[in-house]
Amino acid sequence: MFKQTFKKFKKVNPLSDLQEVIDLDNYDANNSTNGLCNIVNPKDISEMDIRKSLDFPVGLQPLRMWRCYTLKKHPGLLIIRNPFTFRGQRYWIARSLRDYPLPPNTVNLDAKHFSSKTISDWWGELHHCTNPNLVHRLKTAMRWTTLGYHHNWDTKVYDKTMHTPFPSDLCYLSKYFSLALGFPNFIPQAAIVNYYPIGTSLNGHTDHSEINHEAPLFSYSFGQTAIFLIGHGTLEEQPSAVYLRSGDVLVMSKESRLCYHAVPRIMKALEDPWNNLFTNPNEKLDTFNSSMNFELYDQLNDELFWMPFNRYVTDCRININVRQVYSSDR
């Protein structure tokens, strides 16, 4: 059932098939035809309790404005519908493109097909390239970069010797979400940043390589829209399909943590909230925390500086997924 559903949504046509996809922007709790979505009351999230441990990160909407959903058929799965401001989205897009692929982090590009200069600074090469064919090649070749504990794609395990510093800003962001959603013991230790040009996909799989399966997995989406499939413990069971739009945060916890999931389709977004300058016009920097790159955050108001990042996300999706590998940092 999972594979059949994946193939159906991967097809370009007919578009009528997409009526089955859960759309959180057009969900009526009182007149739901699929009976899958259930709104989590924002008042259950205590901002005061979080502030005892962490300051409110710049680039996020206040907690009272968050729209958090669960899927009744998939206990433990949570989706927050874009809690980011426009500049918050820009910040994580820029970090994912410019900074996270840099050494000592690991990327999928290999020496057989790319120069050492491209492997060590993919974004710099793409940004300054003027050959349209090479631009296309560079853009579509980059599929992932890993941070913190690096997953070995051959052995499917994490090796403690394959470890580089985890980005402090991404750590802070993930700890904030974990506290807000009731996971106070979560430790961000590893991340995979996936790059999805329109037309690409990710086959069904489970994230079982981590030693600690009790800890949730946090997933941040930016750029173009994805159809996300969430299944159950086997491929024989029918999955559900939901749109993940730019700024959405998905959390796989408890029963959903080891469920099959996939991305069969990347679609052109109906809007670009990373360019919506009026998302939060009163955003200030007085609560800016030291884990973030202040210079970058400030530059993202400059449309000329933002232009190359904007060109990338006009036909690509970025997904940052953060997980805890071990029970502790020791």
Side-chain angles (χ1 to χ4, degrees):
M1 294 297 292
F2 191 100
K3 292 180 178 179
Q4 289 177 9
T5 305
F6 181 91
K7 290 178 180 178
K8 180 179 73 173
F9 285 118
K10 189 175 181 180
K11 291 191 303 182
V12 176
N13 290 305
L15 292 178
S16 58
D17 288 346
L18 300 183
Q19 293 177 357
E20 300 176 23
V21 184
I22 299 169
D23 186 348
L24 299 181
D25 281 352
N26 294 289
Y27 168 67
D28 184 349
N30 299 316
N31 187 29
S32 175
T33 57
N34 53 52
L36 292 174
C37 296
N38 180 33
I39 299 176
V40 175
N41 195 331
K43 72 180 181 182
D44 294 335
I45 303 174
S46 175
E47 189 167 349
M48 184 176 297
D49 289 342
I50 302 173
R51 285 184 177 273
K52 294 177 182 177
S53 303
L54 295 171
D55 291 329
F56 189 87
V58 168
L60 286 178
Q61 303 282 3
L63 284 173
R64 66 182 181 276
M65 299 179 66
W66 289 15
R67 293 162 48 200
C68 188
Y69 300 84
T70 63
L71 300 184
K72 293 178 181 178
K73 290 185 179 180
H74 305 277
L77 190 80
L78 301 171
I79 305 174
I80 306 175
R81 179 67 183 98
N82 186 21
F84 293 89
T85 65
F86 91 93
R87 193 150 49 136
Q89 288 208 33
R90 287 188 175 190
Y91 179 85
W92 296 107
I93 290 169
R95 286 284 279 159
S96 297
L97 293 173
R98 189 192 72 172
D99 302 331
Y100 290 161
L102 294 173
N105 298 327
T106 303
V107 298
N108 67 288
L109 305 179
D110 60 74
K112 181 179 178 180
H113 300 95
F114 295 94
S115 68
S116 58
K117 186 177 180 181
T118 298
I119 296 173
S120 63
D121 187 11
W122 162 78
W123 178 250
E125 291 292 286
L126 177 61
H127 182 193
H128 295 102
C129 183
T130 57
N131 183 324
N133 293 328
L134 183 55
V135 167
H136 178 75
R137 180 170 179 255
L138 291 173
K139 195 171 186 178
T140 56
M142 175 62 85
R143 296 307 305 272
W144 55 259
T145 182
T146 54
L147 321 171
Y149 286 103
H150 300 280
H151 187 255
N152 187 316
W153 301 99
D154 296 322
T155 63
K156 308 299 182 183
V157 299
Y158 290 92
D159 187 339
K160 284 196 172 184
T161 63
M162 296 173 60
H163 177 265
T164 54
F166 193 87
S168 59
D169 54 356
L170 186 56
C171 178
Y172 187 96
L173 179 77
S174 300
K175 287 185 73 69
Y176 189 87
F177 276 105
S178 67
L179 288 171
L181 298 175
F183 305 102
N185 299 318
F186 179 74
I187 306 172
Q189 295 175 328
I192 303 173
V193 184
N194 294 114
Y195 305 91
Y196 294 94
I198 285 180
T200 58
S201 60
L202 179 67
N203 290 327
H205 65 285
T206 62
D207 290 301
H208 57 267
S209 298
E210 294 75 26
I211 304 300
N212 187 341
H213 292 159
E214 299 300 317
L217 186 152
F218 291 85
S219 175
Y220 310 103
S221 295
F222 301 102
Q224 300 307 304
T225 299
I227 293 179
F228 177 78
L229 292 186
I230 177 65
H232 300 275
T234 70
L235 291 172
E236 284 71 38
E237 298 174 88
Q238 179 72 42
S240 300
V242 60
Y243 288 118
L244 290 182
R245 295 187 169 92
S246 192
D248 287 355
V249 180
L250 180 140
V251 184
M252 297 177 66
S253 70
K254 301 177 182 178
E255 296 95 329
S256 72
R257 176 61 180 80
L258 293 175
C259 288
Y260 279 92
H261 54 283
V263 179
R265 188 168 179 175
I266 307 297
M267 305 171 57
K268 186 68 177 176
L270 298 178
E271 56 184 13
D272 51 352
W274 54 89
N275 288 330
N276 184 0
L277 306 185
F278 303 102
T279 302
N280 189 358
N282 297 318
E283 184 177 0
K284 299 179 181 180
L285 297 180
D286 54 355
T287 57
F288 193 90
N289 69 81
S290 59
S291 70
M292 298 178 73
N293 185 323
F294 176 85
E295 182 181 2
L296 173 63
Y297 195 85
D298 190 52
Q299 286 176 306
L300 291 169
N301 263 352
D302 182 341
E303 295 304 309
L304 186 62
F305 176 84
W306 167 247
M307 189 179 299
F309 302 105
N310 190 59
R311 280 199 300 266
Y312 182 89
V313 292
T314 55
D315 58 2
C316 293
R317 171 183 181 246
I318 297 170
N319 170 241
I320 310 172
N321 56 85
V322 179
R323 66 274 313 277
Q324 179 173 339
V325 180
Y326 302 102
S327 297
S328 69
D329 277 336
R330 296 182 179 181

